[in-house]
Amino acid sequence: MSKAFFKAGHFPTLAVCFLYFDLSFAVWVLLAPLAVLIANDLHLQPDQKGLMVATPVLAGALLRVLNGVLIGQWKARRVGIAMQLVVIVGLLLAWWLGLHSFGQVLTLGIVLGVAGASFAIALPMVSYWYPPERQGVVLGLAGAGNSGTVFAALFAPALALAIGWRNTLGLAALPLLVVLLAFVLFARDSPNSPPPKTLADYRRVLRTADAWWLMFFYGISFGGFVGLSSFLPIYFNDQYGLSAVTAGYFTAGCVFVGSFVRPLGGALADHIGGTRALSMVYAFVALMLAIITFSHQPAFGALAALALAMTALGMGNGAVFQLVPQRFRGDVGLLTGLVGMTGGVGGFCLAAGLGYARQFTGNYDYGFGTFALLALLAWGGIASVRLRWRGAAALSGVRV
């Protein structure tokens, strides 16, 4: 990052939003690395395991739209503080009172969805500080906060074995408190933030076909990323008999590469165009998931294929958000909430679908195969809009 980069926007806000996003994502998927232990204690079935890890994803998806509306009224900083407090209180109550039924676990999952909705706070807050030609890198850096899923997968299972999964939930509230303090002290709303949005603005955006395309593209890229992040601990434990800790390590390896290449995906999209980057991403993801579906790899073979798929999905996340401010510059907050929502819905469908596939067919092939077909559909969608989007962007000198 050059001096020009630091002068182009507000770096303290970028850094703090990354931390806010990172810790929020770690908490958002916290039930996933704890799923094996919770399921054993509560005697859950495969479909219940899938719903357990998918519920925070769906709740986060729906709450991203709410956050988009609230940001338009109150600004991102105020909304971010309020939402973080909700998550902290929810974790502390779960630790203090305990979770004794499947319904209570799902209730906690809804609260953790508030953390997942941080996406619709951090990204617009950063985007409004920076010019169009830096959106891919900047949003990639802020969005790399999805690396928090790595820390959850790495440390939560071992902590749960050492101190119990209930105490692990309480412990997770402590780093959130530290990040909340940093957010209060250093994050600032941009003077370039657009005026408040109304429901009419949402209706206007949703009448645009391009908004639906962006929502679908992110439903595949981020939906694949977070859906796999949530379900892989269960998959590796169930499919290969790995312990909860080892399954967490395998998942962390997959999530690690997918998280930290997001800025590279944004930079690549700035360089060659978001549509070209996404076309490569979706074709590669479909290939890797086809390998998982039809070749029945041993554990390390599956790890390699899934890590490569997650790498491509992570780059795709950065590429989609290079396109959002180019196509909808004045509506980044609106689109971030809507696009982020469909990403979460995609993750919910993938995680829940894998659980139901295992419950009703005895294996995961139908789940992985269906998602591979959806990736191919996204590849076709990119091909259908590429020339039109590039023609419009050429007028402003931005690569799309």
Side-chain angles (χ1 to χ4, degrees):
M1 289 182 282
S2 63
K3 291 182 179 179
F5 177 86
F6 286 99
K7 293 180 179 178
H10 192 253
F11 185 75
T13 295
L14 174 59
V16 144
C17 282
F18 166 79
L19 291 174
Y20 179 89
F21 195 16
D22 197 57
L23 269 295
S24 294
F25 257 50
V27 169
W28 186 30
V29 300
L30 189 58
L31 290 180
L34 301 179
V36 174
L37 299 175
I38 294 174
N40 288 340
D41 284 354
L42 300 182
H43 310 291
L44 303 183
Q45 298 299 314
D47 57 332
Q48 292 178 311
K49 295 179 190 178
L51 282 175
M52 172 175 60
V53 299
T55 295
V57 178
L58 180 61
L62 300 178
L63 288 168
R64 287 176 181 193
V65 177
L66 174 62
N67 277 351
V69 174
L70 293 177
I71 286 172
Q73 304 302 315
W74 299 344
K75 301 296 185 183
R77 183 174 179 274
R78 188 182 300 177
V79 177
I81 293 170
M83 294 300 172
Q84 191 81 314
L85 287 172
V86 170
V87 178
I88 290 169
V89 170
L91 284 169
L92 291 176
L93 285 175
W95 165 68
W96 183 259
L97 300 175
L99 302 175
H100 308 290
S101 69
F102 180 56
Q104 291 175 344
V105 173
L106 294 185
T107 301
L108 175 63
I110 294 171
V111 174
L112 297 184
V114 177
S118 63
F119 175 93
I121 297 168
L123 266 67
M125 194 171 189
V126 168
S127 177
Y128 292 134
W129 276 107
Y130 288 86
E133 65 272 15
R134 298 189 184 273
Q135 290 294 315
V137 172
V138 166
L139 293 180
L141 288 170
N146 57 28
S147 59
T149 53
V150 177
F151 302 120
L154 272 178
F155 301 119
L159 277 172
L161 287 176
I163 65 175
W165 57 264
R166 176 177 169 180
N167 290 329
T168 302
L169 294 174
L171 187 63
L174 299 182
L176 290 183
L177 284 167
V178 175
V179 172
L180 176 60
L181 177 61
F183 189 84
V184 169
L185 293 176
F186 300 111
R188 295 292 180 268
D189 290 310
S190 170
N192 300 318
S193 298
K197 302 293 183 181
T198 66
L199 291 178
D201 293 309
Y202 276 91
R203 290 194 294 269
R204 170 179 54 80
V205 167
L206 288 173
R207 286 196 295 265
T208 305
D210 289 348
W212 289 96
W213 276 119
L214 287 167
M215 290 160 68
F216 174 63
F217 295 149
Y218 203 64
I220 300 302
S221 66
F222 184 76
F225 177 85
V226 75
L228 290 174
S229 299
S230 299
F231 199 83
L232 286 182
I234 296 172
Y235 171 73
F236 284 123
N237 172 261
D238 185 53
Q239 184 76 4
Y240 299 105
L242 304 182
S243 69
V245 173
T246 305
Y249 290 156
F250 272 48
T251 302
C254 294
V255 175
F256 177 85
V257 290
S259 299
F260 288 102
V261 297
R262 182 165 181 156
L264 297 180
L268 179 66
D270 283 340
H271 183 65
I272 69 172
T275 55
R276 181 178 295 175
L278 283 174
S279 66
M280 295 187 290
V281 162
Y282 294 134
F284 187 77
V285 168
L287 174 62
M288 291 299 103
L289 293 181
I291 290 173
I292 294 294
T293 302
F294 297 112
S295 65
H296 300 107
Q297 296 289 314
F300 280 99
L303 173 63
L306 287 166
L308 289 171
M310 293 283 273
T311 300
L313 290 168
M315 295 187 73
N317 293 336
V320 171
F321 269 90
Q322 185 263 358
L323 293 171
V324 168
Q326 314 305 345
R327 178 61 185 83
F328 293 93
R329 179 60 182 169
D331 295 308
V332 174
L334 291 178
L335 263 294
T336 298
L338 292 170
V339 172
M341 176 196 69
T342 51
V345 170
F348 169 82
C349 292
L350 177 57
L354 287 169
Y356 280 111
R358 177 68 176 85
Q359 177 76 5
F360 295 111
T361 70
N363 58 62
Y364 296 104
D365 293 348
Y366 282 98
F368 284 117
T370 300
F371 194 71
L373 291 175
L374 288 171
L376 284 177
L377 184 59
W379 177 83
I382 282 289
S384 72
V385 301
R386 180 187 300 162
L387 292 179
R388 178 168 57 83
W389 286 8
R390 284 189 169 183
L395 299 176
S396 61
V398 178
R399 290 185 181 272
V400 169

